[in-house]
Amino acid sequence: MCGIVGYVGEKEASDFLIEGLRRLEYRGYDSAGIAVYDQGKIQIEKKMGRLANLEKVLETHPLHGKIGIGHTRWATHGGPSDVNAHPHGDCHNHFVVVHNGIIENYMEIKKELLEKGHIFKSETDTEVVAHLAEELDDGDFLSTVRKVIARITGSYTLVFMDAAQPDTIICTKKDNPLIIGLGQGENFIASDIPAVISHTRRIYILNDGEMAVVRKTGVSVYDGEGLPVSKKIHEVTWSAEAAEKGGYPHFMLKEIYEQPKAVRDTVNIHIGQDSQIVFDTLNWNKSDLMGMDNILITACGTAYHAGLVAKHYIEQFARIPVEVDIASEYRYRRPLTTERTLAVVISQSGETIDTLAALKEARRLGARSIAVTNSIGSSIAREADRVIYTLAGPEIAVASTKAYTTQLVALLMLALYMGQLKGTVTNEQVQDVVKALQTLPEKIEKILENSQYIAGLADHLTKVKDVFYIGRSIDYAIAMEGALKLKEISYIHAEAYAGGELKHGTLALIVPETPVIAVATQDDVKSKMYSNIQEVRARNAEVIGIGFDDDRELEKYVTETIRIPRVSGFIAPILSVIPMQLLAYYTGVKRGNDVDKPRNLAKSVTVE
Ligand code: F6R
């Protein structure tokens, strides 16, 4: 996910470009750049790191001009670096582009262009677009762009400048957002409304396949066939602050609602031909797996909870023993890690120092390693032998939500992939899970549709001092994540217990004022779980049960029920965690807390 801006008008383009990028920095922040038509050519300045780095460069090398484009990057192809930052130009910076998305067939096009003598500077998929425009240039900017679009596949927002037409920007999109802000004698292009809202509230929202020719005097939009389209002007009514969050009151809620897309993206990159599971970055064969005695999963916080679920996945499907350890504990206990251990570290940010240190220790002891991370080019991604990326997009709220569900998806697929290679799962089992994963986004949507009911349940929690979360088997791991979410966002004491463990001491704390959240999705321990629920009901505690929508029995034992669509026990955690995220969110909001930045916490913990 990247941020894109463009400007054409009477003012200094770079002023709007930098301001717009700052408002879009939440979309990506590993590098930034702008291109401006200045002194008879398109000039580019770009820099790795936060926007402030680019601003520093512009202090000594300012770009003056009235038309330009800009980009803030969240790397996909090619790590974060000055050279991989956008904008990208062709051999002569005749065509210059910024891009959000992925050009799937870029390798094939790049090969062809290299043979024709084009010289590439970066490792990005985007650069091929600029060179392709140079190759297909017929002197008509719009027609050239149309030819480029006809050649590329994938998802994109693309914005083009042409040195031969220094009064025009052309942009188009497929499966990625793009809006055009309509001003007086000036027009703006952006991936999202916040970039333009302080200049205009009148916008066009571009549809897939449409192309906009943007000049200071006006904007013309064409469909994929090149026919003019008459666009409706949308009047934005949000405040600038609300717009940045896409209309949501908090990033956390926005990110909870982004889960269908994040899960879909993460599933899709691992489905190959014949619906087999693929992990291109691992490059393993059966003997690699046969050489593994055990797997060590290590991580912190929410990522550690994902590891606890992954233990169930890997042991079930790949039949390899898995130990899960908190990263800050692992390296201080003389672990029994060997060269026959596979270390799997999980980290949204890829920068958590405890996780990084545990990874280094496991490698020092001879283990092979995989990082599961959401941050391309992060320290953990660089340290590990192999990397699996979750495609959650930038997560801004401190409380992890979409990163967690995508970690579960990636780890479930990894377990099946290992099982596939080892022969410990049947093709039919793989196909069943793949099918279930493909329909998961719709099921998440269904839960999200019920969010007002969950918001109502949060009223029960706002005044309490303690909440217990219980579950058995995988549901216990999910209960731990539910309890952590409530603690960090609402500041209410919450604890997770394995359902069967309550009676060994904790039941003494269950009183009518202590609500219990009971997760009951695992069929093999269902009857045991119902008994545990009855144990707490007998102490007059209120119980909110989370179970499948066709489970008529659960509602007999609980005071309130949150229903999730029926799926297999392995898929259930990816759904059952969502009502718990919402419950924590609404409880935090109702208690007046700053849910995006809870007290004492930071998004990326780079201290031990
Ligand atoms: C909780 C949360 C933290 C992180 C933990 C690890 O909502 O966000 O518990 O999960 O600090 O962070 P990463 O995954 O970046 O290593």
Side-chain angles (χ1 to χ4, degrees):
M1 190 158 110
C2 305
I4 282 181
V5 286
Y7 175 83
V8 48
E10 277 305 326
K11 302 185 189 129
E12 277 287 3
S14 54
D15 289 348
F16 168 75
L17 298 177
I18 295 295
E19 177 205 321
L21 289 179
R22 186 168 304 110
R23 293 187 193 277
L24 295 181
E25 220 183 355
Y26 72 89
R27 298 179 61 86
Y29 35 75
D30 62 43
S31 52
I34 61 170
V36 172
Y37 189 79
D38 178 9
Q39 298 172 39
K41 54 183 178 181
I42 302 173
Q43 317 242 23
I44 300 175
E45 288 296 348
K46 49 193 191 174
K47 198 73 196 151
M48 178 173 157
R50 296 283 173 139
L51 191 58
N53 296 2
L54 174 68
E55 286 179 277
K56 223 180 209 146
V57 173
L58 291 171
E59 275 169 23
T60 43
H61 297 103
L63 297 182
H64 297 292
K66 297 189 171 144
I67 180 166
I69 57 180
H71 189 269
T72 176
R73 182 167 186 247
W74 191 73
T76 54
H77 290 71
S81 68
D82 288 355
V83 77
N84 287 338
H86 298 214
H88 290 284
D90 58 28
C91 299
H92 307 95
N93 281 358
H94 184 100
F95 288 99
V96 172
V97 291
V98 290
H99 167 219
N100 173 27
I102 293 171
I103 309 294
E104 282 162 5
N105 59 342
Y106 84 102
M107 290 288 268
E108 150 202 333
I109 299 173
K110 186 169 180 176
K111 189 164 164 270
E112 211 176 291
L113 293 170
L114 281 168
E115 279 162 14
K116 291 193 164 136
H118 288 260
I119 296 167
F120 285 80
K121 301 176 211 74
S122 76
E123 301 155 306
T124 62
D125 52 341
T126 307
E127 196 184 343
V128 298
V129 176
H131 289 274
L132 190 59
E134 184 180 31
E135 188 59 36
L136 300 175
D137 186 12
D138 59 9
D140 176 333
F141 191 7
L142 182 59
S143 144
T144 305
V145 172
R146 285 191 61 210
K147 285 195 229 160
V148 169
I149 299 307
R151 272 301 312 275
I152 58 174
T153 58
S155 63
Y156 45 79
T157 293
L158 281 165
V159 183
F160 294 77
M161 287 178 77
D162 173 354
Q165 284 201 36
D167 62 345
T168 307
I169 297 174
I170 295 185
C171 50
T172 184
K173 62 150 263 168
K174 181 171 165 259
D175 300 331
N176 277 281
L178 185 63
I179 60 122
I180 296 170
L182 307 168
Q184 301 285 342
E186 58 183 354
N187 289 302
F188 311 85
I189 294 164
S191 320
D192 205 351
I193 295 166
V196 304
I197 201 162
S198 54
H199 298 271
T200 179
R201 290 179 171 272
R202 299 165 71 240
I203 60 160
Y204 283 158
I205 298 173
L206 233 56
N207 295 323
D208 280 358
E210 288 178 347
M211 275 178 205
V213 177
V214 185
R215 300 195 176 96
K216 76 174 179 188
T217 45
V219 178
S220 317
V221 181
Y222 301 90
D223 67 12
E225 308 300 314
L227 300 170
V229 177
S230 141
K231 295 290 290 181
K232 183 171 156 252
I233 297 177
H234 288 258
E235 289 283 343
V236 181
T237 51
W238 305 332
S239 69
E241 205 217 353
E244 198 159 300
K245 293 170 188 146
Y248 290 94
H250 298 99
F251 279 112
M252 183 177 173
L253 191 62
K254 175 171 180 269
E255 287 160 10
I256 290 174
Y257 273 79
E258 280 171 352
Q259 288 179 111
K261 175 170 174 11
V263 163
R264 184 179 297 115
D265 289 349
T266 306
V267 168
N268 285 348
I269 44 162
H270 296 302
I271 299 181
Q273 280 177 348
D274 307 326
S275 300
Q276 290 292 300
I277 294 181
V278 290
F279 275 87
D280 292 339
T281 51
L282 295 185
N283 205 8
W284 274 343
N285 55 38
K286 188 170 179 175
S287 63
D288 289 309
L289 287 179
M290 290 309 182
M292 279 171 206
D293 286 346
N294 61 345
I295 293 180
L296 160 77
I297 300 181
T298 183
C300 303
T302 288
Y304 166 71
H305 294 156
L308 294 173
V309 177
K311 174 182 167 74
H312 289 266
Y313 292 161
I314 297 171
E315 292 189 344
Q316 170 70 25
F317 294 122
R319 308 302 294 158
I320 304 174
V322 180
E323 170 195 23
V324 191
D325 211 347
I326 293 171
S328 55
E329 291 292 313
Y330 167 75
R331 72 196 170 113
Y332 296 109
R333 62 168 179 85
R334 298 184 59 215
L336 294 172
T337 300
T338 71
E339 60 287 349
R340 292 177 67 82
T341 303
L342 172 71
V344 178
V345 298
I346 309 166
S347 174
Q348 185 285 128
S349 63
E351 300 297 343
T352 301
I353 200 83
D354 287 322
T355 310
L356 180 61
L359 169 61
K360 286 185 175 163
E361 176 63 3
R363 296 194 72 216
R364 191 187 67 78
L365 295 168
R368 283 175 285 166
S369 57
I370 299 180
V372 178
T373 180
N374 198 36
S375 303
I376 296 195
S378 57
S379 305
I380 287 174
R382 291 198 306 269
E383 176 70 24
D385 300 324
R386 303 269 193 273
V387 189
I388 295 171
Y389 288 112
T390 48
L391 295 191
E395 195 179 61
I396 312 294
V398 163
S400 192
T401 53
K402 60 178 181 166
Y404 177 73
T405 39
T406 55
Q407 283 160 359
L408 295 188
V409 164
L411 290 161
L412 173 57
M413 297 185 91
L414 175 67
L416 282 159
Y417 174 69
M418 288 171 146
Q420 226 174 243
L421 282 179
K422 272 189 78 187
T424 45
V425 284
T426 62
N427 194 33
E428 213 182 342
Q429 278 175 302
V430 174
Q431 298 306 314
D432 281 352
V433 181
V434 165
K435 264 193 223 133
L437 285 170
Q438 283 171 322
T439 58
L440 204 49
E442 298 143 39
K443 298 195 164 99
I444 299 175
E445 303 269 10
K446 217 154 174 217
I447 297 172
L448 296 173
E449 280 165 20
N450 202 20
S451 69
Q452 280 321 303
Y453 171 65
I454 298 169
L457 293 180
D459 291 334
H460 296 241
L461 302 187
T462 47
K463 296 260 155 45
V464 304
K465 280 176 66 192
D466 308 285
V467 179
F468 280 87
Y469 284 71
I470 57 172
R472 297 182 78 118
S473 177
I474 304 187
D475 285 344
Y476 172 40
I478 288 298
M480 292 170 85
E481 174 57 11
L484 176 62
K485 283 293 90 94
L486 190 72
K487 278 184 267 209
E488 64 178 328
I489 302 306
S490 72
Y491 316 151
I492 295 171
H493 168 244
E495 248 183 280
Y497 260 82
E501 186 64 9
L502 278 180
K503 55 188 174 296
H504 298 289
T506 314
L507 215 42
L509 296 174
I510 305 290
V511 289
E513 302 75 46
T514 315
V516 175
I517 318 286
V519 191
T521 69
Q522 302 299 306
D523 281 340
D524 47 348
V525 288
K526 207 158 93 174
S527 58
K528 306 269 178 242
M529 190 58 205
Y530 294 152
S531 308
N532 301 141
I533 294 173
Q534 288 174 74
E535 282 160 14
V536 295
R537 283 294 293 135
R539 274 83 196 166
N540 292 323
E542 263 188 62
V543 179
I544 300 176
I546 301 178
F548 293 126
D549 48 12
D550 59 358
D551 182 348
R552 293 283 153 252
E553 223 183 325
L554 177 64
E555 58 200 29
K556 291 187 202 152
Y557 308 118
V558 297
T559 23
E560 298 283 352
T561 319
I562 300 176
R563 299 175 206 286
I564 61 169
R566 162 72 65 179
V567 284
S568 76
F570 290 106
I571 304 280
I574 310 169
L575 294 181
S576 57
V577 74
I578 291 166
M580 290 192 274
Q581 296 169 343
L582 288 167
L583 204 54
Y585 169 77
Y586 286 116
T587 309
V589 170
K590 288 178 187 207
R591 282 168 64 99
N593 297 350
D594 182 352
V595 289
D596 279 343
K597 294 194 194 78
R599 70 183 178 208
N600 307 340
L601 301 177
K603 184 66 185 159
S604 176
V605 186
T606 51
V607 289
E608 261 202 78

